[in-house]
Amino acid sequence: MARSLLHSIAIACSAASLALAISPGFPYGSEKVRGVNLGGWLVLEPWITPSLFDNTGNDAIVDEYTFCQYQDTSVAQSTLEAHWASWITESDFEAIAAAGLNHVRLPIGYWAFEVGPGEPYISGQLPYLQKAVTWAGNHGLKVIVDLHGAPGSQNGFDNSGQRMDYPTWHSNSTNVARTDAILKTIADMFKDNPTVVPIIAPLNEPAGFDGSDVLSVIKQYWRDSYGNIRYPYGSSQQSNTLVLIHDAFQPLSYWDGFLTPSDNGAQGVAMDTHIYQMFTDAGNAMSDDDHIQSACAQKSSLAGFDLWLIVGEWTPAMTDCAKYLNGRGIGSRYDGTYPGSTAVGSCTGLTGSASTFSSSFKTFLRKMWEAQAIAFESAGAGWVQWTWKAENADEWTYQAGLQYGWIPQNPEGYEYPGICD
Ligand SMILES: *[C@@H]1O[C@H](CO)[C@@H](O)[C@H](O)[C@H]1NC(C)=O
């Protein structure tokens, strides 16, 4: 008994002193992360900017890969450059800071760094990544640099750059080696600026749901990324940059102990989980009260995890009604236009411009926003909403939420503080 108590004290002490050995650019764990994603900027997403896709007049253009492949390169390039220069500017960083947020998460694709032979991708995003970091610094915001697309696609989603039925990143060691090299580049770019870039996410949403082949590659990739991000100066000197790994759609218990201090002394690692309720038929069919209860239930289901836990994507939207949300040319489960789905109701008034939203829908969005912010702050290290702006899906955007009042001007300004009690 006494011996095991001493033993646990010794472990606790070494964990505590390890935790002190680095000084992150943000007090993760004591101050809550409150942030927003800059989706659809440096990685195109058809549902965030449907006009860019519709303007091509080509239905085969469904992601950034085909955007560059199936139209004249100079047209694709000039469209992308105009988009990068206008979709997000310094005034967005100013507005994000004014809304009381402290982080932005910035998705970027591997093709910003390196395009392989035969790949149609157009690069030119890096100057905007650099500008974003400067603008964030100007307004006191922290940037999570998030590698959102890897060679071969890590999940087959259009937001990885390339939509496909079965992703091919994990099954090809050349793809993984290229991604490792890009992570080294990213870590090197920001290793001396942890105040503005305190944390790097080595890969968004790898397809752990495809099974153990993917999971074993991912676990090794997270370990290699740990080395690349935490030791960018070589093996003797650590950086102050945190590594934000994603749960690969596994239950948190799957990751118990992984890259914690008890795992070879690892430190400076945080876990990213994404929480959406609208990508199943059952989720779309839930009542408003069930959606709120499901959000509140995260208060206990996310609690007690052994790494800093950040909910890096979530939204007050509870239907898949937004045009192209499931992919360009694919319909919605909610209104039954998605293959195999059963209609719950009409999407009219539930997506698009908030000027068409009823006051009861806006009240529901407010409750959903608050229930999730409360649950995620109670259980974990904070949250980053998806996403700051979209052309025509206001139910998803922080910007419209602020404008139309379902997101508080100050993220602590709850109207329903007891919603999860
Ligand atoms: C593996 O991926 C690389 C690109 O990263 C590609 O050139 C190569 O053809 C792929 N190998 C196979 C067997 O598909």
Side-chain angles (χ1 to χ4, degrees), residues 110 114 116-117 119 151-152 168-169 171-176 178:
Y110 82 86
E114 175 253 317
E119 296 170 353
T168 63
W169 173 75
S171 57
N172 177 331
S173 59
T174 306
N175 287 337
V176 180
R178 290 171 67 195

Side-chain angles (χ1 to χ4, degrees), residues 26 51 73 105 114 145 199 221 265 296 310 363 366 375 389 402 407 415:
F26 182 83
S51 74
T73 301
R105 177 169 174 263
E114 175 253 317
V145 176
I199 182 163
Y221 176 73
C296 292
I310 297 173
T363 300
R366 175 113 194 180
K389 62 183 284 200
L402 290 172
I407 295 179
E415 272 176 16

Side-chain angles (χ1 to χ4, degrees), residues 169-242:
W169 173 75
H170 66 278
S171 57
N172 177 331
S173 59
T174 306
N175 287 337
V176 180
R178 290 171 67 195
T179 316
D180 286 331
I182 288 165
L183 246 294
K184 283 194 171 102
T185 303
I186 295 175
D188 189 61
M189 281 172 81
F190 300 114
K191 65 182 189 299
D192 297 321
N193 192 7
T195 308
V196 183
V197 184
I199 182 163
I200 293 171
L203 191 57
N204 179 62
E205 296 190 347
F209 45 78
D210 281 330
S212 56
D213 287 0
V214 181
L215 286 168
S216 60
V217 175
I218 270 299
K219 282 191 273 191
Q220 186 57 49
Y221 176 73
W222 288 159
R223 290 190 183 280
D224 294 340
S225 297
Y226 175 82
N228 291 333
I229 294 169
R230 302 285 304 107
Y231 291 88
Y233 306 97
S235 60
S236 59
Q237 192 192 343
Q238 299 196 56
S239 71
N240 284 313
T241 314
L242 264 59

Side-chain angles (χ1 to χ4, degrees), residues 5-270:
L5 183 63
L6 279 177
H7 183 65
S8 17
I9 290 171
I11 288 171
C13 290
S14 68
S17 53
L18 280 170
L20 289 176
I22 64 165
S23 45
F26 182 83
Y28 295 99
S30 57
E31 203 173 312
K32 297 300 175 188
V33 171
R34 292 170 176 153
V36 68
N37 283 275
L38 302 178
W41 184 29
L42 305 184
V43 177
L44 294 188
E45 298 201 25
W47 78 268
I48 297 179
T49 56
S51 74
L52 293 185
F53 289 80
D54 291 345
N55 289 345
T56 65
N58 181 343
D59 292 343
I61 294 180
V62 297
D63 52 25
E64 190 157 336
Y65 191 98
T66 49
F67 188 88
C68 300
Q69 182 178 30
Y70 292 147
Q71 62 182 328
D72 187 85
T73 301
S74 64
V75 173
Q77 175 139 7
S78 60
T79 311
L80 284 169
E81 281 172 358
H83 171 70
W84 296 331
S86 61
W87 182 250
I88 297 287
T89 64
E90 184 163 8
S91 63
D92 293 289
F93 286 79
E94 195 181 346
I96 290 165
L101 300 180
N102 50 36
H103 279 67
V104 295
R105 177 169 174 263
L106 178 47
I108 190 158
Y110 82 86
W111 56 95
F113 300 88
E114 175 253 317
V115 177
E119 296 170 353
Y121 284 120
I122 293 167
S123 48
Q125 300 87 348
L126 284 191
Y128 293 94
L129 172 61
Q130 300 284 17
K131 281 181 213 276
V133 170
T134 302
W135 295 335
N138 291 348
H139 299 282
L141 290 165
K142 310 293 177 185
V143 181
I144 302 170
V145 176
D146 155 46
L147 188 68
H148 218 72
S153 178
Q154 75 277 17
N155 52 32
F157 303 156
D158 57 12
N159 54 60
S160 72
Q162 204 176 0
R163 179 172 130 188
M164 58 178 77
D165 290 337
Y166 193 79
T168 63
W169 173 75
H170 66 278
S171 57
N172 177 331
S173 59
T174 306
N175 287 337
V176 180
R178 290 171 67 195
T179 316
D180 286 331
I182 288 165
L183 246 294
K184 283 194 171 102
T185 303
I186 295 175
D188 189 61
M189 281 172 81
F190 300 114
K191 65 182 189 299
D192 297 321
N193 192 7
T195 308
V196 183
V197 184
I199 182 163
I200 293 171
L203 191 57
N204 179 62
E205 296 190 347
F209 45 78
D210 281 330
S212 56
D213 287 0
V214 181
L215 286 168
S216 60
V217 175
I218 270 299
K219 282 191 273 191
Q220 186 57 49
Y221 176 73
W222 288 159
R223 290 190 183 280
D224 294 340
S225 297
Y226 175 82
N228 291 333
I229 294 169
R230 302 285 304 107
Y231 291 88
Y233 306 97
S235 60
S236 59
Q237 192 192 343
Q238 299 196 56
S239 71
N240 284 313
T241 314
L242 264 59
V243 186
L244 181 61
I245 61 176
H246 180 265
D247 64 12
F249 304 98
Q250 301 308 294
L252 289 174
S253 58
Y254 179 87
W255 299 102
D256 275 345
F258 188 77
L259 288 177
T260 60
S262 61
D263 183 1
N264 294 305
Q267 57 170 332
V269 182

Side-chain angles (χ1 to χ4, degrees), residues 178-414:
R178 290 171 67 195
T179 316
D180 286 331
I182 288 165
L183 246 294
K184 283 194 171 102
T185 303
I186 295 175
D188 189 61
M189 281 172 81
F190 300 114
K191 65 182 189 299
D192 297 321
N193 192 7
T195 308
V196 183
V197 184
I199 182 163
I200 293 171
L203 191 57
N204 179 62
E205 296 190 347
F209 45 78
D210 281 330
S212 56
D213 287 0
V214 181
L215 286 168
S216 60
V217 175
I218 270 299
K219 282 191 273 191
Q220 186 57 49
Y221 176 73
W222 288 159
R223 290 190 183 280
D224 294 340
S225 297
Y226 175 82
N228 291 333
I229 294 169
R230 302 285 304 107
Y231 291 88
Y233 306 97
S235 60
S236 59
Q237 192 192 343
Q238 299 196 56
S239 71
N240 284 313
T241 314
L242 264 59
V243 186
L244 181 61
I245 61 176
H246 180 265
D247 64 12
F249 304 98
Q250 301 308 294
L252 289 174
S253 58
Y254 179 87
W255 299 102
D256 275 345
F258 188 77
L259 288 177
T260 60
S262 61
D263 183 1
N264 294 305
Q267 57 170 332
V269 182
M271 178 61 79
D272 181 14
T273 192
H274 296 171
I275 297 182
Y276 290 120
Q277 296 192 30
M278 80 296 285
F279 292 117
T280 60
D281 289 341
N284 279 278
M286 280 160 65
S287 69
D288 287 3
D289 283 348
D290 285 348
H291 283 300
I292 291 168
Q293 275 188 18
S294 169
C296 292
Q298 305 288 352
K299 217 172 147 174
S300 52
S301 56
L302 299 180
F305 189 60
D306 50 12
L307 295 172
W308 290 313
L309 181 67
I310 297 173
V311 180
E313 293 190 17
W314 62 284
T315 171
M318 289 293 134
T319 70
D320 66 347
C321 284
K323 181 182 172 185
Y324 299 164
L325 182 67
N326 295 310
R328 185 166 187 231
I330 301 176
S332 306
R333 296 170 184 84
Y334 191 84
D335 69 4
T337 56
Y338 184 90
S341 65
T342 307
V344 176
S346 165
C347 281
T348 304
L350 299 178
T351 189
S353 168
S355 62
T356 69
F357 296 174
S358 67
S359 61
S360 65
F361 181 44
K362 285 183 277 192
T363 300
F364 173 63
L365 290 171
R366 175 113 194 180
K367 288 180 176 170
M368 281 316 310
W369 192 93
E370 293 195 12
Q372 291 178 96
I374 287 169
F376 302 156
E377 291 194 14
S378 150
W383 48 264
V384 189
Q385 184 179 323
W386 191 275
T387 186
W388 174 242
K389 62 183 284 200
E391 282 178 352
N392 194 28
D394 283 352
E395 71 279 19
W396 281 78
T397 79
Y398 210 98
Q399 206 179 39
L402 290 172
Q403 186 187 342
Y404 289 90
W406 66 80
I407 295 179
Q409 301 300 315
N410 164 343
E412 291 177 330
Y414 299 131

